Amino acid sequence: MKTPARTGPPGKIKIMTAFSRLMETKDFQSITTAEIAGNAGVTEGLIYKYFTDKKDLLHQVLHQHFAAFQAGIEAGIQEKQTCIGKLEAIIFASLDSYTHNRVLARILLLEVRNSLSYFESGAYAMVKIYARTILDIIREGMETGELRPDMDPFLLQKVILGAIEHTCLKQVIFDKKMDVTAAAGGIVDIIFNGVKHHGCH
Amino acid sequence: MKTPARTGPPGKIKIMTAFSRLMETKDFQSITTAEIAGNAGVTEGLIYKYFTDKKDLLHQVLHQHFAAFQAGIEAGIQEKQTCIGKLEAIIFASLDSYTHNRVLARILLLEVRNSLSYFESGAYAMVKIYARTILDIIREGMETGELRPDMDPFLLQKVILGAIEHTCLKQVIFDKKMDVTAAAGGIVDIIFNGVKHHGCH
Amino acid sequence: MKTPARTGPPGKIKIMTAFSRLMETKDFQSITTAEIAGNAGVTEGLIYKYFTDKKDLLHQVLHQHFAAFQAGIEAGIQEKQTCIGKLEAIIFASLDSYTHNRVLARILLLEVRNSLSYFESGAYAMVKIYARTILDIIREGMETGELRPDMDPFLLQKVILGAIEHTCLKQVIFDKKMDVTAAAGGIVDIIFNGVKHHGCH
Amino acid sequence: MKTPARTGPPGKIKIMTAFSRLMETKDFQSITTAEIAGNAGVTEGLIYKYFTDKKDLLHQVLHQHFAAFQAGIEAGIQEKQTCIGKLEAIIFASLDSYTHNRVLARILLLEVRNSLSYFESGAYAMVKIYARTILDIIREGMETGELRPDMDPFLLQKVILGAIEHTCLKQVIFDKKMDVTAAAGGIVDIIFNGVKHHGCH
DNA sequence: CATGAATGAGCCTTCATTCAT
DNA sequence: CATGAATGAAGGCTCATTCAT
């Protein structure tokens, strides 16, 4: 999955591309500006022409990847009529994106959380929109009667997000691939139908 | 919640305690050895008498905290007869531990994942036991008929772990407290009964 | 005897010059990077822009000094027609260089041997060429009949090198000067004519 | 070749033995007191009960090894009647000792020179005796007519010492063995008979 | 638009050494 | 005779960042 910077001066594009490539295999902290510049074929100084910070670079790259992610999600929802269908679509699209876009997954699942500056960044705003979208669908479902009305919608939101993230965590850390369709289907089944067994009567 | 090192030479105890205290408010990377030593009232060099590394210190402290966590979990399970009861107990105990032991939560939810060395550490072994315990209960429940037999037990394990972690994430990051009982009850309800609404008949 | 780095950015030149100057009076291990940087009027960090290592700095400086040494030797040989003349010239030039270039002498006679990394460095390659030059002349002399054909040329090479080095060792260690011409003449006489006394007949 | 410390309290013996063993493969600077203590099975502190210094330990071990060396030399000389015979014996015994006692060779050829404190130590006094012995024999030979009277005896001494040391240097550095008899014979032949070829007449 | 020389602050780590017990 | 806990001073090295050109 490529996510090239399509805009801006050549130097900026080169830097973002190189950084993105590095993020596929290394963690943020261990990537040095020298390494980025070297891989991009530019000088270290140029990084600070286009980014205020190393972290700013991370945020901009995340922003870029996240835009594609968000677009995919919204495309998936559009066609669906029911809330359950929409949530299924989101779960599938999320797993799919995390699976096929390693950089996105690494940043979102590993890097971003312990950085306070992230939560002040524009990148975080996008994630909030994503989370909010889920929450809105849940609320809508509870109103329309598709979903049980006696739940804390925030909690369901967290269960869904947690399920998505934890499912992807292992593959990101240990660099494995998973069967997205099966995983998405299984998660949907568990969360929507519950796991308690109802004996036949 | 304090979890002091009860064994070893005074210097080692002081170091672990001081580091633990620092971890409550700062992230690992930004804690310097000078800071640790200063807070512990020992010299920096002593750290390397007892720990091979700054990371080793992290792992040993985590290990220590996790031992208490694990003990709490097992105590909770003991009394329960049903698999569902056991899982409920684990979810509650986990949320409770993460809520009251900030250091444990911070390390496990924020710090540890992007460090490869963690996964080779003894501390990781404990987490695997924890995850394994959940998996075993799930399997047992599927066999006894308490839980639906047509699920991927690994997936349910991930949903549970993901729900726990994501629920705690926000409070860890933004330093808030939550109502553990309510959250645990809600998560249990969602996962066990499902969220789909079944109209009255 | 100065042997400044004539190429490269000013910072690199300053570092090499300062280090060279320090090597005249102190041994490598006791020279700190802070000292080098201080004497050079640059920051410590800059050292690592131009040298991978403190040792790399040593090797590059040695390389530089040795180049001049080597050049002197070759100039001395050029004019000589006989092998014996060439060897005489080498012995003289070597003693002369060691005497007048204290840094070269110190590095070659004292520092370099116990460092394994030296033998993998480019600097060592030059020394091998020097030793090889001597060996080649010896072999040539044995073929042309100037030198006895019934010797191990390697052994003679070692005797010559050993004589040169040991003669210079004391002056390097105790910081004394010697009469180069007399010493060279004496060594040549001993090695070429032997020390056994042949009574008159 | 073993050179155990036969006297003193068990702790001291253990320390010297362990250090000696370590010196066979590592250089002095890279051997830590922790390593010595660990290998000796004692605590670091004990080292300072018996030795004022790490360097003192080196000197005492060298002293011990050198005593055996010196004894071997003197035994070799004793039987010989001529000065030439004595020098031959010294050359042979020296090469032999360096070859079979790696620790002695390493210390004398590699470590000792760049340490100023060595030259103030008792160990250095022994080496001076060794060198002095050679010088005395040379002078005696020059007086009795065995050796040419028109030489600088100091220079011959240096040539002999240099030849011995340089011949052994390579095997010490690269850990190779040599044919002691052949080397000694060759060196003797070169130095005593000279290398100039005298055509038959 | 880009370079490259230089900075500066600090970090982790090492290790010989001491001393009370 | 020996331990082991603790020190302290320094040391090499990294790296994000700046700025004149």
Side-chain angles (χ1 to χ4, degrees), chain A residues 197-201:
Chain A
H197 192 211
H198 305 281
C200 43
H201 42 261

Side-chain angles (χ1 to χ4, degrees), chain D:
Chain D
M1 166 156 282
K2 72 207 67 154
T3 315
R6 257 177 284 274
T7 59
K12 184 172 188 181
I13 297 174
K14 279 193 247 169
I15 290 166
M16 291 183 81
T17 307
F19 176 71
S20 237
R21 202 154 35 219
L22 286 167
M23 279 296 297
E24 275 174 32
T25 50
K26 307 184 65 173
D27 61 299
F28 179 67
Q29 290 268 19
S30 70
I31 297 175
T32 66
T33 50
E35 210 173 355
I36 298 167
N39 268 57
V42 301
T43 54
E44 274 182 89
L46 195 60
I47 295 175
Y48 295 87
K49 265 265 182 293
Y50 299 117
F51 308 93
T52 64
D53 231 58
K54 207 182 122 191
K55 240 164 200 164
D56 183 40
L57 172 54
L58 175 71
H59 292 329
Q60 288 202 33
V61 165
L62 171 57
H63 194 283
Q64 186 186 209
H65 284 269
F66 199 86
F69 173 60
Q70 183 86 330
I73 302 263
E74 259 151 40
I77 300 178
Q78 220 67 17
E79 317 157 2
K80 306 294 177 184
Q81 302 301 327
T82 64
C83 290
I84 290 181
K86 286 176 186 171
L87 289 175
E88 281 178 357
I90 286 181
I91 291 171
F92 180 88
S94 299
L95 292 181
D96 197 56
S97 291
Y98 283 145
T99 299
H100 294 104
N101 189 338
R102 173 114 98 267
V103 176
L104 177 74
R106 290 185 68 101
I107 298 179
L108 244 34
L109 300 183
L110 303 184
E111 305 294 346
V112 120
R113 9 195 100 184
N114 50 11
S115 159
L116 206 83
S117 73
Y118 162 69
F119 296 101
E120 300 150 359
S121 78
Y124 179 54
M126 300 196 77
V127 174
K128 280 209 299 209
I129 293 175
Y130 164 62
R132 181 64 196 251
T133 304
I134 293 176
L135 187 62
D136 287 343
I137 296 172
I138 291 172
R139 280 181 170 142
E140 192 192 331
M142 288 171 69
E143 279 172 20
T144 62
E146 276 184 83
L147 299 179
R148 288 167 46 195
D150 60 334
M151 295 182 313
D152 179 351
F154 289 100
L155 227 38
L156 176 54
Q157 178 206 35
K158 279 172 190 152
V159 172
I160 290 174
L161 287 172
I164 292 170
E165 289 178 9
H166 204 91
T167 307
C168 294
L169 199 57
K170 214 166 198 173
Q171 74 172 345
V172 169
I173 290 170
F174 296 109
D175 198 10
K176 292 174 185 168
K177 291 284 171 197
M178 69 161 146
D179 180 342
V180 174
T181 309
I187 291 172
V188 164
D189 178 41
I190 288 172
I191 294 179
F192 285 87
N193 300 319
V195 298
K196 211 180 279 175
H197 192 210
H198 305 280
C200 41
H201 45 264

Side-chain angles (χ1 to χ4, degrees), chain B residues 62-142:
Chain B
L62 170 57
H63 195 281
Q64 186 188 208
H65 283 270
F66 200 87
F69 173 60
Q70 182 88 333
I73 301 264
E74 259 150 40
I77 301 178
Q78 221 67 18
E79 317 156 1
K80 307 294 175 182
Q81 302 301 328
T82 65
C83 292
I84 290 180
K86 286 177 186 170
L87 290 175
E88 280 177 358
I90 286 181
I91 291 170
F92 180 86
S94 299
L95 291 181
D96 196 58
S97 290
Y98 282 144
T99 298
H100 294 104
N101 188 335
R102 174 114 100 266
V103 176
L104 177 74
R106 289 185 68 100
I107 299 180
L108 242 35
L109 300 184
L110 303 184
E111 303 294 347
V112 119
R113 11 198 96 185
N114 50 10
S115 159
L116 205 85
S117 72
Y118 162 67
F119 298 102
E120 297 152 358
S121 78
Y124 179 55
M126 299 197 78
V127 174
K128 281 210 301 208
I129 292 175
Y130 164 62
R132 181 63 197 251
T133 304
I134 294 175
L135 186 63
D136 287 342
I137 296 172
I138 291 171
R139 279 181 170 144
E140 192 192 329
M142 289 171 69

